[in-house]
Amino acid sequence: MKGSIILMVSAAAAKLLGAVFKIPLTNILGGVGMSYFSCAYSLFMPVYSLVVTGLSSAVARMTAQSAALGMYANAAKVRRTALGIFSLAGLVGSLLIFFLAEPFSVYSIGSSEALLAVEMIAPAVLFGCVTAVERGYYEGMSNMYPTAFSQVVEGIVKAAAGLLLCGYVMKNPQTVMAYFPHIKDIRAAAAAAGIMGVTLSTAGAAVYFAFVRLFVKAPKDGESCVMSRKAIVRELTATALPVGVSALVTNLTALVDMWTVIGCISYFGSNTAVPDGISEAELPYFIYGSFAGIALTIFNLVPSVTNMLGKGALTCITAAYENKDRKALGYGTSQALLTAAVIALPAAAGIAVLAPEILGYLYPEQTDEAAFCIGSLRRLMPGMVCLCVSYPLFSMLQAVGKPSAPLKIMLTGTAVKLAGNLAFIPLMGVDGAALSTSLCYGIILAISLRSYIKATSLRISASPFLKVMYSGAMCGGTAYLVSSLVKKAGASQMMVIAVSAAAGGVVYLGIMASLFGAISKKRSKRA
């Protein structure tokens, strides 16, 4: 839990910095500009996920195994080998994105306006591979601080560089457009400048780890036995590839949204009034850019934090499973899942109740886009809770020797997502994409939990989770009642958010303390 808390705090700080970057960026670019930005991300994330996502966990798992046996020389060799082969893989991934930039941009949004943004993000795959190996090594050695600080460094560089570059482009359109005559829309150049901040942030994290290696010395005592390079490559690939493919499938949902939202709205039309300054032809891109840039940005905030629970639990779940310690396995599993639920449920309830005020406060310059996303954001919240709890399960499935299980689960979820989008978007517009997202992650959670229980033969009590659900419902109800009263009094949006969230939080913590305190007393009496 100590490791998980360190990673969650750093992830929360990184996400806060990410919000400092993404929210002003959306206010600058608007819905159409964010469609260019999201187009670049929708190609980058699948490639990045395939090459990078499973790498950190694979290195962490092999390092943790070596450290548990005192094989520190083997852990160092795992690190060197991973840096070599995955730096090459990262270079291939970067080149793939760069050369696919133009056809992908033309095919996705019907023009080459997003070309520059896609090209600007290509080097981030290479830097991401280096960073993932280093994070995995230190996590496997049960040292979460390098990962934590690197996430903060990444967030600071992204926010500072991305906003400064984007702001410069918007203030100096003639100067910038002279260098890029093939771009007709200044928002496309500004989106590329914002994306450049993302690439520089991954480079900053890689440089940070270069400094860490100078000051943090690896242990050298213990067993001198080491695996062959071929065996290390085989095991790393066997562990990382299924996780990477699973993450690739996860990020295919972004491509599904881009193609189905733009395609369905272009074909079936939309009952949404066309905002001022947006043409009929631009409306599908405005809708998609608003959904991806605003609703999905807020949707992803909390899951990125609970994802750190899986990273923190990976080492202890691996050790408990390898040692056949069922008590430790059950305790670690319950801690990770219950903590994810405790964080996710009140957050989802609060965001759903206060969606108009949150969006209005965060996006004051893009009122049309913010108002458009209220219904979508609310429909995304059940899916957010399911995703928050699914992330630790994916890591724990990997820890108990089931690295390919998340791939099969995510393929099923993606199929549900695609079918849902095609069925719901023509009827409900982009709100249908939000609804299918929640349905997708609900099914993923159910299958993941069943697979983990089957693999471990554990019995997980539903009682604590029902208590958390009840507390979350009371939190949301309190926030709704208080917000209604405060709004009637004529309070500002910020005041409505602050007072309602505080009231809901007090009720949530109070009910949780009461319910779980009763359980502790019963256990004490039995003892």
Side-chain angles (χ1 to χ4, degrees):
M1 283 303 293
K2 177 185 176 183
S4 295
I5 290 169
I6 292 170
L7 291 177
M8 282 195 296
V9 170
S10 68
K15 272 298 169 182
L16 179 61
L17 290 166
V20 170
F21 165 64
K22 199 77 173 284
I23 291 169
L25 187 73
T26 304
N27 282 314
I28 294 170
L29 295 177
V32 176
M34 285 305 295
S35 71
Y36 303 136
F37 185 93
S38 300
C39 176
Y41 249 102
S42 64
L43 175 59
F44 165 73
M45 285 308 298
V47 177
Y48 183 85
S49 300
L50 178 63
V51 179
V52 175
T53 303
L55 177 56
S56 181
S57 298
V59 174
R61 190 170 191 270
M62 288 192 70
T63 303
Q65 289 173 332
S66 298
L69 298 172
M71 298 169 59
Y72 297 115
N74 192 66
K77 189 172 183 180
V78 168
R79 181 193 207 176
R80 291 194 303 272
T81 304
L83 276 172
I85 62 169
F86 286 101
S87 292
L88 179 60
L91 179 60
V92 171
S94 293
L95 292 174
L96 181 66
I97 290 176
F98 185 84
F99 288 115
L100 286 177
E102 184 168 8
F104 182 80
S105 175
V106 172
Y107 179 73
S108 298
I109 65 171
S111 75
S112 60
E113 291 296 288
L115 166 64
L116 186 59
V118 178
E119 290 177 341
M120 289 296 101
I121 207 169
V125 178
L126 173 59
F127 295 126
C129 282
V130 174
T131 303
V133 172
E134 296 289 6
R135 285 173 175 167
Y137 172 77
Y138 288 110
E139 287 167 16
M141 298 297 288
S142 297
N143 181 3
M144 305 300 176
Y145 290 105
T147 294
F149 288 125
S150 70
Q151 288 177 328
V152 175
V153 168
E154 213 170 328
I156 291 171
V157 175
K158 183 195 300 181
L163 292 177
L164 285 172
L165 290 171
C166 184
Y168 175 82
V169 169
M170 292 299 286
K171 290 178 181 177
N172 300 275
Q174 293 181 340
T175 303
V176 173
M177 298 297 266
Y179 289 98
F180 304 103
H182 63 283
I183 293 179
K184 306 302 180 185
D185 188 345
I186 188 60
R187 292 171 294 187
I195 284 286
M196 190 62 191
V198 176
T199 299
L200 291 174
S201 72
T202 59
V207 171
Y208 165 79
F209 276 111
F211 281 102
V212 169
R213 295 191 70 166
L214 295 175
F215 299 104
V216 178
K217 300 300 180 183
K220 296 181 179 180
D221 298 329
E223 294 286 340
S224 59
C225 176
V226 294
M227 298 169 64
S228 69
R229 191 178 299 274
K230 184 177 180 180
I232 292 172
V233 172
R234 186 166 54 245
E235 187 169 342
L236 279 173
T237 305
T239 306
L241 189 58
V243 178
V245 174
S246 301
L248 166 65
V249 175
T250 303
N251 285 283
L252 287 180
T253 57
L255 287 173
V256 168
D257 276 332
M258 182 175 66
W259 289 331
T260 55
V261 170
I262 293 175
C264 287
I265 291 175
S266 296
Y267 185 80
F268 293 103
S270 173
N271 55 8
T272 304
V274 181
D276 294 337
I278 302 296
S279 66
E280 287 281 357
E282 288 179 326
L283 183 61
Y285 307 106
F286 169 85
I287 291 174
Y288 167 69
S290 301
F291 178 68
I294 295 178
L296 290 181
T297 295
I298 296 175
F299 167 82
N300 285 314
L301 288 175
V302 182
S304 64
V305 176
T306 60
N307 185 29
M308 297 301 108
L309 283 168
K311 285 178 171 284
L314 178 66
T315 305
C316 68
I317 294 293
T318 300
Y321 186 75
E322 294 289 337
N323 293 326
K324 296 180 171 54
D325 187 344
R326 290 186 58 78
K327 184 177 179 181
L329 183 64
Y331 182 69
T333 297
S334 296
Q335 269 197 329
L337 297 183
L338 192 58
T339 304
V342 166
I343 294 170
L345 280 161
I351 292 172
V353 169
L354 300 172
E357 289 74 29
I358 291 172
L359 294 175
Y361 180 75
L362 293 178
Y363 300 97
E365 302 299 322
Q366 305 296 339
T367 54
D368 290 330
E369 290 88 340
F372 176 77
C373 289
I374 292 171
S376 300
L377 186 58
R378 284 174 167 163
R379 287 173 175 82
L380 284 169
M381 287 304 100
M384 188 191 83
V385 174
C386 295
L387 181 58
C388 284
V389 183
S390 297
Y391 270 146
L393 276 170
F394 286 170
S395 294
M396 291 189 292
L397 280 167
Q398 183 182 359
V400 299
K402 298 288 182 182
S404 62
L407 169 60
K408 300 171 185 175
I409 295 166
M410 287 305 306
L411 281 171
T412 303
T414 302
V416 171
K417 170 68 176 168
L418 177 59
N421 274 20
L422 294 175
F424 298 146
I425 292 175
L427 300 174
M428 304 170 60
V430 78
D431 287 354
L435 182 61
S436 68
T437 297
S438 287
L439 182 62
C440 161
Y441 287 120
I443 290 173
I444 285 169
L445 174 59
I447 300 174
S448 300
L449 190 58
R450 181 177 178 276
S451 300
Y452 185 74
I453 291 172
K454 185 178 179 181
T456 59
S457 300
L458 289 175
R459 294 184 65 183
I460 301 173
S461 174
S463 177
F465 297 93
L466 292 174
K467 289 177 171 60
V468 175
M469 290 176 65
Y470 174 75
S471 303
M474 293 299 101
C475 169
T478 302
Y480 175 77
L481 292 174
V482 172
S483 66
S484 299
L485 293 173
V486 176
K487 280 189 282 189
K488 285 181 180 179
S492 64
Q493 287 178 331
M494 185 59 199
M495 183 61 68
V496 172
I497 295 169
V499 174
S500 303
V506 168
V507 169
Y508 178 71
L509 293 175
I511 295 175
M512 287 277 289
S514 175
L515 293 175
F516 285 95
I519 293 175
S520 299
K521 287 179 181 179
K522 286 181 181 179
R523 287 178 178 171
S524 299
K525 288 179 180 178
R526 287 174 186 171

